[in-house]
Amino acid sequence: MVKGKQYWLLKTEPGEWSWEDQAANGGVTKWDGVKNKQAQKHLKSMKLGDLCFFYHSGASARRLVGVVSVVKEWYSEGIDKNSEVVVDVKAVGEMRRQVDLKDMKQDGELKGFVMFRQPRLSVMPVPEEVWKRICELGNGFEGDGIGKDGGDD
């Protein structure tokens, strides 16, 4: 049984769905389009209030840009067993400093992070110690309660 908050990483191509797209319209959207079975399993493991890094992938981006929270646990977008699995997420805030993939790979405390071992996986768990370290590298995020933005997270 999982207790407490879990942490995740969600990847998206900025040309398909960017942080700006996520932040618009109240910041809430369904996270869909996940075809990989392992990534779908991760979506099904998400719980209300879990936090997710919002990661821009692709040749020109490859960086963490923000944080979203899970506001609706997984549901199916169809009627058969092969239907798409989705969750709803809401923008929490931008990283105070975007964290590039190269910076993460060079950080010894992040050695062994699943993102480096399975770079094509679009949804993955983030261990709490890795979450904290990445937040340090990015000087936290808006709404984390520790910065200038006045959040009370």
Side-chain angles (χ1 to χ4, degrees):
M1 177 180 233
V2 177
K3 294 183 179 181
K5 189 174 289 189
Q6 300 177 99
Y7 302 96
W8 306 92
L9 185 139
L10 302 172
K11 289 184 178 180
T12 180
E13 294 268 352
E16 296 291 322
W17 189 255
S18 70
W19 176 256
E20 291 75 21
D21 295 326
Q22 180 66 42
N25 195 28
V28 178
T29 192
K30 66 181 177 182
W31 199 267
D32 59 3
V34 176
K35 305 294 185 213
N36 178 282
K37 294 298 181 192
Q38 185 178 8
Q40 288 180 356
K41 182 179 175 185
H42 293 319
L43 285 177
K44 288 181 177 183
S45 297
M46 292 180 176
K47 301 295 177 202
L48 288 177
D50 283 356
L51 294 176
C52 312
F53 284 128
F54 192 105
Y55 181 87
H56 278 172
S57 60
S60 64
R62 295 187 184 165
R63 67 182 59 96
L64 289 168
V65 296
V67 172
V68 296
S69 66
V70 177
V71 295
K72 184 175 179 181
E73 293 180 13
W74 81 275
Y75 56 98
S76 181
E77 280 281 285
I79 56 174
D80 67 26
K81 67 178 181 175
N82 295 320
S83 296
E84 189 172 18
V85 174
V86 300
V87 297
D88 289 355
V89 295
K90 181 175 184 172
V92 174
E94 284 187 75
M95 298 299 291
R96 290 190 181 90
R97 177 186 166 278
Q98 294 183 356
V99 183
D100 288 333
L101 176 62
K102 64 179 176 56
D103 295 333
M104 288 187 278
K105 284 185 170 182
Q106 292 172 351
D107 190 287
E109 292 182 48
L110 300 178
K111 187 176 182 178
F113 180 31
V114 68
M115 187 167 97
F116 308 149
R117 293 190 322 266
Q118 293 182 286
R120 297 187 52 84
L121 193 60
S122 64
V123 179
M124 63 192 71
V126 178
E128 186 173 7
E129 62 276 5
V130 171
W131 179 272
K132 289 178 179 178
R133 180 61 185 146
I134 292 172
C135 284
E136 286 175 11
L137 292 173
N139 297 322
F141 55 92
E142 295 173 9
D144 62 8
I146 59 172
K148 299 178 189 176
D149 56 294
D152 57 4
D153 188 44

mmCIF file of all heavy atoms in Angstrom, residues 101-135:
data_model
loop_
_atom_site.group_PDB
_atom_site.id
_atom_site.type_symbol
_atom_site.label_atom_id
_atom_site.label_comp_id
_atom_site.label_asym_id
_atom_site.label_seq_id
_atom_site.Cartn_x
_atom_site.Cartn_y
_atom_site.Cartn_z
ATOM 1 N N LEU A 101 18.248 18.706 -19.137
ATOM 2 C CA LEU A 101 18.627 17.301 -19.036
ATOM 3 C C LEU A 101 20.130 17.161 -18.786
ATOM 4 O O LEU A 101 20.552 16.370 -17.946
ATOM 5 C CB LEU A 101 18.225 16.553 -20.312
ATOM 6 C CG LEU A 101 18.650 15.089 -20.392
ATOM 7 C CD1 LEU A 101 18.018 14.270 -19.274
ATOM 8 C CD2 LEU A 101 18.285 14.516 -21.748
ATOM 9 N N LYS A 102 20.942 17.943 -19.480
ATOM 10 C CA LYS A 102 22.391 17.820 -19.318
ATOM 11 C C LYS A 102 22.815 18.147 -17.890
ATOM 12 O O LYS A 102 23.716 17.509 -17.346
ATOM 13 C CB LYS A 102 23.143 18.678 -20.336
ATOM 14 C CG LYS A 102 22.944 20.164 -20.217
ATOM 15 C CD LYS A 102 23.766 20.903 -21.280
ATOM 16 C CE LYS A 102 23.529 22.376 -21.279
ATOM 17 N NZ LYS A 102 23.758 23.049 -20.016
ATOM 18 N N ASP A 103 22.151 19.109 -17.261
ATOM 19 C CA ASP A 103 22.466 19.451 -15.866
ATOM 20 C C ASP A 103 22.097 18.299 -14.931
ATOM 21 O O ASP A 103 22.817 18.006 -13.976
ATOM 22 C CB ASP A 103 21.734 20.722 -15.429
ATOM 23 C CG ASP A 103 22.203 21.944 -16.199
ATOM 24 O OD1 ASP A 103 23.372 21.956 -16.656
ATOM 25 O OD2 ASP A 103 21.406 22.887 -16.342
ATOM 26 N N MET A 104 20.971 17.644 -15.212
ATOM 27 C CA MET A 104 20.568 16.504 -14.382
ATOM 28 C C MET A 104 21.551 15.348 -14.541
ATOM 29 O O MET A 104 21.930 14.713 -13.561
ATOM 30 C CB MET A 104 19.142 16.062 -14.737
ATOM 31 C CG MET A 104 18.081 17.029 -14.261
ATOM 32 S SD MET A 104 16.413 16.406 -14.516
ATOM 33 C CE MET A 104 16.155 16.809 -16.229
ATOM 34 N N LYS A 105 21.967 15.088 -15.779
ATOM 35 C CA LYS A 105 22.885 13.982 -16.023
ATOM 36 C C LYS A 105 24.250 14.214 -15.386
ATOM 37 O O LYS A 105 24.940 13.269 -15.022
ATOM 38 C CB LYS A 105 23.051 13.748 -17.533
ATOM 39 C CG LYS A 105 21.883 13.044 -18.160
ATOM 40 C CD LYS A 105 22.164 12.730 -19.620
ATOM 41 C CE LYS A 105 21.111 11.818 -20.197
ATOM 42 N NZ LYS A 105 21.403 11.483 -21.604
ATOM 43 N N GLN A 106 24.645 15.472 -15.240
ATOM 44 C CA GLN A 106 25.943 15.797 -14.657
ATOM 45 C C GLN A 106 25.915 15.800 -13.133
ATOM 46 O O GLN A 106 26.957 15.832 -12.503
ATOM 47 C CB GLN A 106 26.426 17.159 -15.169
ATOM 48 C CG GLN A 106 26.775 17.146 -16.637
ATOM 49 C CD GLN A 106 27.073 18.531 -17.190
ATOM 50 O OE1 GLN A 106 26.872 19.546 -16.539
ATOM 51 N NE2 GLN A 106 27.540 18.572 -18.430
ATOM 52 N N ASP A 107 24.740 15.753 -12.538
ATOM 53 C CA ASP A 107 24.614 15.804 -11.081
ATOM 54 C C ASP A 107 24.762 14.395 -10.496
ATOM 55 O O ASP A 107 23.941 13.515 -10.774
ATOM 56 C CB ASP A 107 23.262 16.406 -10.700
ATOM 57 C CG ASP A 107 23.167 16.719 -9.224
ATOM 58 O OD1 ASP A 107 23.050 15.764 -8.429
ATOM 59 O OD2 ASP A 107 23.214 17.899 -8.859
ATOM 60 N N GLY A 108 25.771 14.189 -9.693
ATOM 61 C CA GLY A 108 26.045 12.876 -9.114
ATOM 62 C C GLY A 108 24.920 12.330 -8.250
ATOM 63 O O GLY A 108 24.739 11.117 -8.147
ATOM 64 N N GLU A 109 24.142 13.202 -7.626
ATOM 65 C CA GLU A 109 23.046 12.756 -6.763
ATOM 66 C C GLU A 109 21.884 12.163 -7.560
ATOM 67 O O GLU A 109 21.007 11.525 -6.989
ATOM 68 C CB GLU A 109 22.547 13.917 -5.895
ATOM 69 C CG GLU A 109 23.557 14.361 -4.854
ATOM 70 C CD GLU A 109 23.017 15.480 -3.981
ATOM 71 O OE1 GLU A 109 21.882 15.357 -3.482
ATOM 72 O OE2 GLU A 109 23.746 16.473 -3.802
ATOM 73 N N LEU A 110 21.857 12.384 -8.862
ATOM 74 C CA LEU A 110 20.776 11.873 -9.700
ATOM 75 C C LEU A 110 21.186 10.626 -10.484
ATOM 76 O O LEU A 110 20.402 10.121 -11.285
ATOM 77 C CB LEU A 110 20.294 12.963 -10.663
ATOM 78 C CG LEU A 110 19.755 14.226 -9.996
ATOM 79 C CD1 LEU A 110 19.353 15.251 -11.043
ATOM 80 C CD2 LEU A 110 18.592 13.910 -9.074
ATOM 81 N N LYS A 111 22.370 10.119 -10.205
ATOM 82 C CA LYS A 111 22.854 8.927 -10.912
ATOM 83 C C LYS A 111 21.860 7.787 -10.721
ATOM 84 O O LYS A 111 21.367 7.543 -9.635
ATOM 85 C CB LYS A 111 24.220 8.526 -10.372
ATOM 86 C CG LYS A 111 24.861 7.428 -11.159
ATOM 87 C CD LYS A 111 26.246 7.122 -10.668
ATOM 88 C CE LYS A 111 26.844 6.027 -11.543
ATOM 89 N NZ LYS A 111 28.190 5.709 -11.153
ATOM 90 N N GLY A 112 21.530 7.111 -11.816
ATOM 91 C CA GLY A 112 20.612 5.980 -11.762
ATOM 92 C C GLY A 112 19.141 6.356 -11.910
ATOM 93 O O GLY A 112 18.281 5.483 -11.900
ATOM 94 N N PHE A 113 18.834 7.632 -12.047
ATOM 95 C CA PHE A 113 17.444 8.073 -12.222
ATOM 96 C C PHE A 113 16.867 7.375 -13.451
ATOM 97 O O PHE A 113 17.504 7.288 -14.494
ATOM 98 C CB PHE A 113 17.412 9.595 -12.355
ATOM 99 C CG PHE A 113 16.042 10.197 -12.535
ATOM 100 C CD1 PHE A 113 14.911 9.634 -11.982
ATOM 101 C CD2 PHE A 113 15.889 11.368 -13.260
ATOM 102 C CE1 PHE A 113 13.659 10.200 -12.147
ATOM 103 C CE2 PHE A 113 14.648 11.954 -13.428
ATOM 104 C CZ PHE A 113 13.528 11.366 -12.873
ATOM 105 N N VAL A 114 15.654 6.853 -13.325
ATOM 106 C CA VAL A 114 15.018 6.056 -14.385
ATOM 107 C C VAL A 114 14.963 6.802 -15.722
ATOM 108 O O VAL A 114 15.048 6.190 -16.778
ATOM 109 C CB VAL A 114 13.614 5.568 -13.950
ATOM 110 C CG1 VAL A 114 12.640 6.720 -13.829
ATOM 111 C CG2 VAL A 114 13.081 4.527 -14.911
ATOM 112 N N MET A 115 14.890 8.102 -15.699
ATOM 113 C CA MET A 115 14.832 8.869 -16.942
ATOM 114 C C MET A 115 16.090 8.664 -17.783
ATOM 115 O O MET A 115 16.042 8.725 -19.006
ATOM 116 C CB MET A 115 14.645 10.354 -16.648
ATOM 117 C CG MET A 115 14.401 11.176 -17.891
ATOM 118 S SD MET A 115 13.819 12.810 -17.501
ATOM 119 C CE MET A 115 15.331 13.708 -17.583
ATOM 120 N N PHE A 116 17.217 8.400 -17.130
ATOM 121 C CA PHE A 116 18.455 8.181 -17.862
ATOM 122 C C PHE A 116 18.525 6.747 -18.398
ATOM 123 O O PHE A 116 19.175 6.503 -19.405
ATOM 124 C CB PHE A 116 19.675 8.442 -16.969
ATOM 125 C CG PHE A 116 19.652 9.778 -16.277
ATOM 126 C CD1 PHE A 116 20.243 9.931 -15.039
ATOM 127 C CD2 PHE A 116 19.037 10.883 -16.838
ATOM 128 C CE1 PHE A 116 20.244 11.152 -14.390
ATOM 129 C CE2 PHE A 116 19.018 12.110 -16.199
ATOM 130 C CZ PHE A 116 19.630 12.247 -14.971
ATOM 131 N N ARG A 117 17.870 5.818 -17.734
ATOM 132 C CA ARG A 117 17.883 4.411 -18.153
ATOM 133 C C ARG A 117 16.802 4.101 -19.184
ATOM 134 O O ARG A 117 16.962 3.196 -19.999
ATOM 135 C CB ARG A 117 17.694 3.502 -16.940
ATOM 136 C CG ARG A 117 18.843 3.512 -15.960
ATOM 137 C CD ARG A 117 18.725 2.426 -14.897
ATOM 138 N NE ARG A 117 17.384 2.180 -14.413
ATOM 139 C CZ ARG A 117 16.834 2.745 -13.338
ATOM 140 N NH1 ARG A 117 17.516 3.618 -12.635
ATOM 141 N NH2 ARG A 117 15.614 2.435 -12.963
ATOM 142 N N GLN A 118 15.676 4.810 -19.103
ATOM 143 C CA GLN A 118 14.561 4.596 -20.030
ATOM 144 C C GLN A 118 14.138 5.947 -20.614
ATOM 145 O O GLN A 118 13.064 6.464 -20.314
ATOM 146 C CB GLN A 118 13.384 3.948 -19.302
ATOM 147 C CG GLN A 118 13.667 2.536 -18.832
ATOM 148 C CD GLN A 118 12.448 1.948 -18.163
ATOM 149 O OE1 GLN A 118 12.106 2.303 -17.054
ATOM 150 N NE2 GLN A 118 11.790 1.034 -18.866
ATOM 151 N N PRO A 119 14.972 6.516 -21.463
ATOM 152 C CA PRO A 119 14.728 7.884 -21.944
ATOM 153 C C PRO A 119 13.472 8.053 -22.798
ATOM 154 O O PRO A 119 12.990 9.169 -22.949
ATOM 155 C CB PRO A 119 15.988 8.215 -22.739
ATOM 156 C CG PRO A 119 16.553 6.894 -23.126
ATOM 157 C CD PRO A 119 16.200 5.955 -22.020
ATOM 158 N N ARG A 120 12.935 6.975 -23.326
ATOM 159 C CA ARG A 120 11.747 7.111 -24.174
ATOM 160 C C ARG A 120 10.442 6.974 -23.403
ATOM 161 O O ARG A 120 9.367 7.198 -23.940
ATOM 162 C CB ARG A 120 11.806 6.105 -25.320
ATOM 163 C CG ARG A 120 13.014 6.380 -26.236
ATOM 164 C CD ARG A 120 13.038 5.530 -27.472
ATOM 165 N NE ARG A 120 11.828 5.534 -28.247
ATOM 166 C CZ ARG A 120 11.488 6.446 -29.165
ATOM 167 N NH1 ARG A 120 12.295 7.448 -29.405
ATOM 168 N NH2 ARG A 120 10.357 6.352 -29.830
ATOM 169 N N LEU A 121 10.514 6.612 -22.128
ATOM 170 C CA LEU A 121 9.324 6.458 -21.306
ATOM 171 C C LEU A 121 8.735 7.834 -20.995
ATOM 172 O O LEU A 121 9.431 8.722 -20.510
ATOM 173 C CB LEU A 121 9.680 5.714 -20.010
ATOM 174 C CG LEU A 121 8.532 5.196 -19.173
ATOM 175 C CD1 LEU A 121 7.676 4.202 -19.953
ATOM 176 C CD2 LEU A 121 9.081 4.534 -17.912
ATOM 177 N N SER A 122 7.445 8.030 -21.269
ATOM 178 C CA SER A 122 6.833 9.363 -21.156
ATOM 179 C C SER A 122 6.231 9.662 -19.789
ATOM 180 O O SER A 122 5.943 10.813 -19.484
ATOM 181 C CB SER A 122 5.763 9.539 -22.231
ATOM 182 O OG SER A 122 4.706 8.622 -22.021
ATOM 183 N N VAL A 123 6.013 8.643 -18.976
ATOM 184 C CA VAL A 123 5.483 8.815 -17.621
ATOM 185 C C VAL A 123 6.306 7.913 -16.719
ATOM 186 O O VAL A 123 6.422 6.717 -16.995
ATOM 187 C CB VAL A 123 3.990 8.413 -17.525
ATOM 188 C CG1 VAL A 123 3.472 8.584 -16.106
ATOM 189 C CG2 VAL A 123 3.143 9.218 -18.510
ATOM 190 N N MET A 124 6.894 8.488 -15.659
ATOM 191 C CA MET A 124 7.737 7.676 -14.789
ATOM 192 C C MET A 124 7.698 8.181 -13.360
ATOM 193 O O MET A 124 7.472 9.366 -13.127
ATOM 194 C CB MET A 124 9.172 7.666 -15.302
ATOM 195 C CG MET A 124 9.838 9.014 -15.305
ATOM 196 S SD MET A 124 11.388 9.027 -16.232
ATOM 197 C CE MET A 124 10.798 8.873 -17.905
ATOM 198 N N PRO A 125 7.907 7.273 -12.411
ATOM 199 C CA PRO A 125 7.967 7.682 -11.016
ATOM 200 C C PRO A 125 9.273 8.421 -10.735
ATOM 201 O O PRO A 125 10.292 8.169 -11.379
ATOM 202 C CB PRO A 125 7.903 6.366 -10.245
ATOM 203 C CG PRO A 125 8.442 5.349 -11.197
ATOM 204 C CD PRO A 125 8.073 5.829 -12.577
ATOM 205 N N VAL A 126 9.226 9.320 -9.762
ATOM 206 C CA VAL A 126 10.413 10.055 -9.329
ATOM 207 C C VAL A 126 10.570 9.814 -7.827
ATOM 208 O O VAL A 126 9.704 10.216 -7.051
ATOM 209 C CB VAL A 126 10.271 11.572 -9.607
ATOM 210 C CG1 VAL A 126 11.496 12.329 -9.112
ATOM 211 C CG2 VAL A 126 10.039 11.833 -11.091
ATOM 212 N N PRO A 127 11.645 9.149 -7.409
ATOM 213 C CA PRO A 127 11.845 8.958 -5.970
ATOM 214 C C PRO A 127 11.923 10.304 -5.248
ATOM 215 O O PRO A 127 12.385 11.307 -5.815
ATOM 216 C CB PRO A 127 13.186 8.227 -5.896
ATOM 217 C CG PRO A 127 13.378 7.615 -7.243
ATOM 218 C CD PRO A 127 12.703 8.550 -8.212
ATOM 219 N N GLU A 128 11.476 10.329 -4.001
ATOM 220 C CA GLU A 128 11.415 11.586 -3.255
ATOM 221 C C GLU A 128 12.760 12.294 -3.184
ATOM 222 O O GLU A 128 12.831 13.523 -3.337
ATOM 223 C CB GLU A 128 10.881 11.339 -1.844
ATOM 224 C CG GLU A 128 10.669 12.623 -1.063
ATOM 225 C CD GLU A 128 9.992 12.417 0.281
ATOM 226 O OE1 GLU A 128 9.788 11.259 0.684
ATOM 227 O OE2 GLU A 128 9.663 13.426 0.921
ATOM 228 N N GLU A 129 13.851 11.543 -2.990
ATOM 229 C CA GLU A 129 15.169 12.178 -2.899
ATOM 230 C C GLU A 129 15.572 12.812 -4.229
ATOM 231 O O GLU A 129 16.213 13.863 -4.261
ATOM 232 C CB GLU A 129 16.233 11.210 -2.382
ATOM 233 C CG GLU A 129 16.491 9.998 -3.256
ATOM 234 C CD GLU A 129 15.534 8.821 -3.035
ATOM 235 O OE1 GLU A 129 14.564 8.933 -2.243
ATOM 236 O OE2 GLU A 129 15.739 7.782 -3.679
ATOM 237 N N VAL A 130 15.171 12.187 -5.342
ATOM 238 C CA VAL A 130 15.441 12.750 -6.668
ATOM 239 C C VAL A 130 14.585 13.998 -6.876
ATOM 240 O O VAL A 130 15.059 15.019 -7.380
ATOM 241 C CB VAL A 130 15.194 11.699 -7.776
ATOM 242 C CG1 VAL A 130 15.253 12.322 -9.159
ATOM 243 C CG2 VAL A 130 16.203 10.563 -7.655
ATOM 244 N N TRP A 131 13.310 13.940 -6.464
ATOM 245 C CA TRP A 131 12.414 15.103 -6.557
ATOM 246 C C TRP A 131 13.027 16.304 -5.835
ATOM 247 O O TRP A 131 13.110 17.398 -6.379
ATOM 248 C CB TRP A 131 11.050 14.760 -5.959
ATOM 249 C CG TRP A 131 10.096 15.904 -5.987
ATOM 250 C CD1 TRP A 131 9.938 16.874 -5.036
ATOM 251 C CD2 TRP A 131 9.167 16.233 -7.036
ATOM 252 N NE1 TRP A 131 8.978 17.766 -5.423
ATOM 253 C CE2 TRP A 131 8.493 17.405 -6.639
ATOM 254 C CE3 TRP A 131 8.852 15.645 -8.253
ATOM 255 C CZ2 TRP A 131 7.506 17.997 -7.425
ATOM 256 C CZ3 TRP A 131 7.873 16.241 -9.031
ATOM 257 C CH2 TRP A 131 7.218 17.401 -8.624
ATOM 258 N N LYS A 132 13.468 16.066 -4.605
ATOM 259 C CA LYS A 132 14.043 17.163 -3.803
ATOM 260 C C LYS A 132 15.289 17.732 -4.455
ATOM 261 O O LYS A 132 15.477 18.950 -4.494
ATOM 262 C CB LYS A 132 14.350 16.674 -2.393
ATOM 263 C CG LYS A 132 13.113 16.430 -1.559
ATOM 264 C CD LYS A 132 13.464 15.895 -0.185
ATOM 265 C CE LYS A 132 12.216 15.681 0.661
ATOM 266 N NZ LYS A 132 12.539 15.117 1.985
ATOM 267 N N ARG A 133 16.151 16.866 -4.979
ATOM 268 C CA ARG A 133 17.383 17.335 -5.608
ATOM 269 C C ARG A 133 17.082 18.144 -6.869
ATOM 270 O O ARG A 133 17.686 19.202 -7.096
ATOM 271 C CB ARG A 133 18.305 16.156 -5.939
ATOM 272 C CG ARG A 133 19.590 16.571 -6.598
ATOM 273 C CD ARG A 133 20.408 17.497 -5.717
ATOM 274 N NE ARG A 133 21.583 17.980 -6.432
ATOM 275 C CZ ARG A 133 22.101 19.182 -6.262
ATOM 276 N NH1 ARG A 133 21.600 20.021 -5.364
ATOM 277 N NH2 ARG A 133 23.156 19.552 -6.966
ATOM 278 N N ILE A 134 16.166 17.668 -7.687
ATOM 279 C CA ILE A 134 15.819 18.414 -8.898
ATOM 280 C C ILE A 134 15.198 19.756 -8.528
ATOM 281 O O ILE A 134 15.486 20.777 -9.159
ATOM 282 C CB ILE A 134 14.904 17.589 -9.823
ATOM 283 C CG1 ILE A 134 15.684 16.393 -10.399
ATOM 284 C CG2 ILE A 134 14.330 18.457 -10.949
ATOM 285 C CD1 ILE A 134 14.847 15.400 -11.183
ATOM 286 N N CYS A 135 14.381 19.772 -7.494
ATOM 287 C CA CYS A 135 13.822 21.057 -7.029
ATOM 288 C C CYS A 135 14.936 22.007 -6.588
ATOM 289 O O CYS A 135 14.878 23.207 -6.859
ATOM 290 C CB CYS A 135 12.812 20.832 -5.903
ATOM 291 S SG CYS A 135 11.213 20.210 -6.475
#
